[in-house]
Amino acid sequence: MAKAKLLLAVLLFVLLVDTGIFTGRGVVGVQAIDCGSKCEYRCSKASRHKMCIRACNTCCRRCSCVPPGTSGNEDVCPCYANMTTHTHGGRHKCP
């Protein structure tokens, strides 16, 4: 019985360490992303810079991802690439 309790405690500890609770990564281990700087670079060549920044930051917060470069590369971040608008005919939301 004592071995079973010890084994259970060890397994629980390993699970908690693996999920990041003791390492400060959060429960699911998702790394924080600096949306501001990522979107600033992503929108650096946009003709409507402020609108691009606003849309990019919204997408970044929801997806925790911004594709590299100033355009394209959407295969790197499918959530970002597949997000669409509700009010503008279902066009791509993210720049």
Side-chain angles (χ1 to χ4, degrees), residues 1-2 8 13 19 23 28 33-34 42 46 52 55 61 77 92:
M1 186 69 176
L8 182 62
F13 177 78
T19 59
T23 59
V28 293
I33 182 172
D34 182 10
R42 180 81 176 170
C52 180
R61 282 192 305 271
C77 190
H92 286 285

Side-chain angles (χ1 to χ4, degrees), residues 1-13:
M1 186 69 176
K3 287 184 181 182
K5 286 183 181 181
L6 179 61
L7 179 61
L8 182 62
V10 169
L11 289 175
L12 181 60
F13 177 78

Side-chain angles (χ1 to χ4, degrees), residues 35-84:
C35 291
S37 65
K38 296 272 187 183
C39 289
E40 190 63 43
Y41 181 72
R42 180 81 176 170
C43 296
S44 63
K45 295 182 180 179
S47 60
R48 299 179 75 181
H49 186 73
K50 286 185 180 180
M51 185 167 43
C52 180
I53 291 289
R54 186 174 61 233
C56 181
N57 278 308
T58 298
C59 296
C60 179
R61 282 192 305 271
R62 291 181 187 171
C63 297
S64 297
C65 181
V66 175
T70 55
S71 66
N73 301 314
E74 293 176 342
D75 56 317
V76 175
C77 190
C79 169
Y80 188 97
N82 296 327
M83 198 175 300
T84 57

